[in-house]
Amino acid sequence: MVAEGDRTVCGRPALAVVGQAALLSLGHLPDPLGAGCSALTRSALLFLVKPSRFNYARPTSVEEVIGLLAAHGDDAKVLAGGQSLMPLMNARLARPELVVDINAVAGLGDIEVNGALRIGSVVRQRTIERSADAARIAPIIAAGLRYVGHVGIRSRGTVGGSIAHADPAAELPAIALALDARMAVSGPGGQRTVAAEDFFEGLFATAVSADELLTAVEVPRPPAAARSGFVEIARRHGDFALAGVAVSFEYVDGAVRSARIACSGVADRPLLATAAQDFLQQEDANDPRTFAEAGRRAAAQFDPPSDIHAPGSYRKQVIAVLVERALKAAIEGSDGADEARR
Amino acid sequence: MKRDDNHDGAIVDGEIEVRLQVNGASRRGRAEPRMLLADFLRQELVLTGTHLGCEHGVCGACTVLVDGAPVRSCLMLAVQAQGADVTTVEGLANGELHPLQQAFNEKHGLQCGFCTPGMLLSAAVLLEENPAPSSEEIREHLSGNICRCTGYVGIVEAVQAAAQAGGGAEASVATTPAAAS
Ligand SMILES: Cc1cc2nc3c(=O)[nH]c(=O)nc-3n(C[C@H](O)[C@H](O)[C@H](O)COP(=O)(O)OP(=O)(O)OC[C@H]3O[C@@H](n4cnc5c(N)ncnc54)[C@H](O)[C@@H]3O)c2cc1C
Ligand code: FES
Ligand code: FES
């Protein structure tokens, strides 16, 4: 499915390396090939810009998708919005033999509301960004999506695609983690739901196996006093973030309770800042030092990677600041962007 | 879905006929699954106004409208556009230049012109949704379109001038400003 499946490039598994090489070319990720890799390999990887030959199916039901994935195994690849998969295919870093286009599958494009919010996996990022239901139940989704690429990316890219792709710097996985969302997954063995904490397993790796389909993201009904905020630091608007923070909590009588603080860009997957969460549970949120201290405790928990864009030590510092800003933004009801611009 | 007439369910393993609306006219052409929509427009339909800069989604030069939404045609397959309603830069002028084209001309919104088709179509969607955008809003909306020549100042001024000239309202190109499906 992916070029040179089990070989290694510069001492790292080829699959991870080539995937990252494509993202590097998009300016997204750490320099994946490392200093030891020749410029020639690098440019050769990025030179091809048309997909290799593949077969194409456009099923209309989840069962058909599962059937195709079961029959073709690792040779098949699900195509949603194509905003991550197509660049990889154009560069021939991904070479599926069968592309299973899920854009016509019945039900996957639906948004359902019953207190909770169920977002079908092929709902466009731009659609949920502008959905009144999402704005009411989980305004953090739109706040975070404003940072995802550009309008032309979001009008095609899907919610499920971003979550299934699981880029460690992506916004939606961190938001799903902060919201304690559950992912609905269908496979040959039937359906199951996976909590966000168990869903993201590593670099571009999730609990969805090759013969399974992510069908929906379920955001639980928020408590009455729910607050949330999203902030990130990126080099330019629309770039993948150096680091980002999504927070969600209950704000009762000036106290922050049941906080979930999800950080992106700190590891191979989004992680909860549990030390900061525990600290906030005990503290007085009216004391201006509280949020700064929560930021310090969050930063202390992580050992972020260094790359061509920023050293890990810088990311650590940024996380401390972003946690503080996200908590403030959540309480002030601002999107945190104004402060980020200062 | 109505657009999936000739290849639903079955596995497509060679060239098929792709039928779609382009700039208001019914068009058809042949495409194997791996043909990008951009190449289909340029090679099969000989609409070479759609430019390819990076072919991995970064530059925005290949932007076209699919069912009213701005889409990178280098990241979409021609077979996925079966039955779709596509607008390319060739569909903007209607006898005379679209107000955006006029304004790009007057305000020096282009130099080499490579980015211009994508800029125009992205800007057309913006004016459709927001007839009087601030320069900040224009910059955010066009952030996915890269220009190596102008420095963007002329582009932003052109979009503002077109907005003042009623470029969104009277010369609409995007039929349904919904997300593509
Ligand atoms: C220039 C550019 C800038 C970008 N900037 C950002 C950014 O700042 N932040 C960000 O988060 N993203 C960014 N993206 C990526 C974008 O958000 C993608 O839309 C997203 O990562 C993938 O969603 P998709 O629907 O396009 O999925 P696809 O590209 O179709 O698929 C991505 C992967 O997920 C798998 N997959 C998709 N859907 C499912 C499913 N339902 N079940 C199982 N597997 C599935 C596919 O097989 C594939 O491996 C950017 C992309 C580009 C081109
Ligand atoms: S050619 Fe499509 S975005 Fe650059
Ligand atoms: S005018 Fe030359 S790239 Fe924009």
Side-chain angles (χ1 to χ4, degrees):
Chain A
M1 165 178 71
V2 168
E4 46 287 314
D6 51 10
R7 273 183 270 154
T8 57
V9 177
C10 302
R12 302 170 68 185
L15 185 126
V17 171
V18 293
Q20 287 176 32
L23 294 164
L24 173 72
S25 74
L26 307 179
H28 292 171
L29 263 196
D31 181 357
L33 301 179
C37 222
S38 76
L40 187 66
T41 316
R42 213 179 289 254
S43 50
L45 280 173
L46 303 174
F47 204 59
L48 289 162
V49 283
K50 304 288 178 197
S52 53
R53 199 163 271 125
F54 56 82
N55 295 341
Y56 173 82
R58 191 176 168 93
T60 51
S61 71
V62 170
E63 293 68 37
E64 279 175 90
V65 175
I66 305 296
L68 286 165
L69 294 179
H72 296 270
D74 272 357
D75 298 333
K77 198 84 184 125
V78 166
L79 174 65
Q83 304 301 292
S84 293
L85 181 58
M86 288 302 301
L88 290 169
M89 285 171 54
N90 285 359
R92 302 205 181 182
L93 299 173
R95 299 180 186 203
E97 281 170 22
L98 176 67
V99 167
V100 181
D101 182 349
I102 58 170
N103 286 282
V105 174
L108 293 189
D110 297 345
I111 301 173
E112 286 165 42
V113 186
N114 57 357
L117 176 69
R118 185 182 163 93
I119 309 169
S121 58
V122 302
V123 169
R124 307 286 166 197
Q125 293 161 6
R126 186 92 172 119
T127 303
I128 201 74
E129 185 184 350
R130 299 198 284 187
S131 148
D133 289 324
R136 199 161 30 79
I137 296 169
I140 189 175
I141 295 177
L145 275 171
R146 287 191 29 230
Y147 296 96
V148 174
H150 317 278
V151 175
I153 305 287
R154 301 196 294 271
S155 63
R156 193 88 198 136
T158 66
V159 172
S162 174
I163 287 177
H165 191 58
D167 189 301
E171 288 78 2
L172 284 177
I175 289 170
L177 184 57
L179 289 174
D180 201 9
R182 299 180 72 80
M183 315 318 152
V185 178
S186 286
Q191 285 189 34
R192 61 195 177 111
T193 56
V194 184
E197 270 156 283
D198 304 321
F199 186 84
F200 301 105
E201 296 184 339
L203 193 66
F204 305 112
T206 71
V208 182
S209 54
D211 56 357
E212 290 183 313
L213 183 71
L214 173 64
T215 55
V217 178
E218 298 169 358
V219 177
R221 175 200 295 265
R227 297 292 176 97
S228 62
F230 183 89
V231 292
E232 72 171 41
I233 296 280
R235 298 185 40 143
R236 288 162 305 202
H237 179 81
D239 281 9
F240 271 88
L242 294 176
V245 172
V247 298
S248 134
F249 55 86
E250 287 169 57
Y251 191 49
V252 194
D253 303 329
V256 170
R257 293 294 172 259
S258 312
R260 291 178 68 90
I261 305 178
C263 304
S264 70
V266 294
D268 59 355
R269 72 193 100 164
L271 291 176
L272 289 175
T274 46
Q277 292 172 184
D278 294 346
F279 169 75
L280 282 171
Q281 188 71 17
Q282 319 296 333
E283 294 297 313
D284 171 11
N286 291 312
D287 184 338
R289 286 166 303 186
T290 301
F291 290 172
E293 179 57 24
R296 273 191 292 278
R297 289 184 187 221
Q301 185 188 329
F302 300 122
D303 187 14
S306 294
D307 61 40
I308 195 168
H309 301 298
S313 57
Y314 175 73
R315 285 197 163 84
K316 221 171 156 80
Q317 228 172 322
V318 164
I319 281 293
V321 174
L322 288 180
V323 165
E324 184 182 356
R325 280 187 189 164
L327 290 165
K328 275 194 196 153
I331 285 180
E332 289 163 8
S334 68
D335 63 5
D338 293 339
E339 183 156 8
R341 261 186 226 115
R342 269 178 226 146
Chain B
M1 278 189 165
K2 65 179 185 327
R3 69 172 44 171
D4 306 310
D5 22 82
N6 61 6
H7 58 274
D8 239 9
I11 291 180
V12 179
D13 59 3
E15 257 187 22
I16 58 163
E17 182 169 270
V18 175
R19 275 175 274 159
L20 70 179
Q21 292 287 114
V22 182
N23 301 328
S26 298
R27 301 292 303 264
R28 59 180 65 190
R30 298 197 66 78
E32 59 171 323
R34 66 167 165 167
M35 182 176 252
L36 303 176
L37 176 59
D39 291 326
F40 179 81
L41 293 169
R42 289 177 56 84
Q43 294 164 19
E44 278 292 296
L45 304 185
V46 202
L47 291 167
T48 53
T50 300
H51 292 168
L52 281 162
C54 67
E55 310 204 53
H56 63 214
V58 175
C59 75
C62 66
T63 303
V64 299
L65 308 186
V66 176
D67 298 329
V71 161
R72 279 145 153 68
S73 58
C74 73
L75 299 186
M76 187 168 166
L77 303 169
V79 292
Q80 292 186 288
Q82 188 75 262
D85 189 354
V86 175
T87 303
T88 68
V89 70
E90 288 91 345
L92 271 184
N94 183 6
E96 52 193 81
L97 291 183
H98 183 280
L100 274 164
Q101 291 171 308
Q102 191 67 41
F104 268 63
N105 181 350
E106 284 162 13
K107 299 287 179 188
H108 303 286
L110 69 153
Q111 286 176 27
C112 80
F114 196 84
C115 69
T116 313
M119 285 285 179
L120 288 168
L121 289 164
S122 295
V125 171
L126 173 64
L127 295 189
E128 184 106 344
E129 292 172 4
N130 179 356
S134 66
S135 71
E136 181 93 337
E137 286 168 331
I138 295 171
R139 282 178 183 276
E140 176 163 350
H141 187 90
L142 295 181
S143 64
N145 293 77
I146 293 175
C147 176
R148 305 313 302 261
C149 302
T150 62
Y152 302 100
V153 174
I155 292 174
V156 174
E157 285 177 2
V159 175
Q160 271 171 329
Q164 277 153 22
E170 64 188 54
S172 89
V173 286
T175 41
T176 40
S181 61

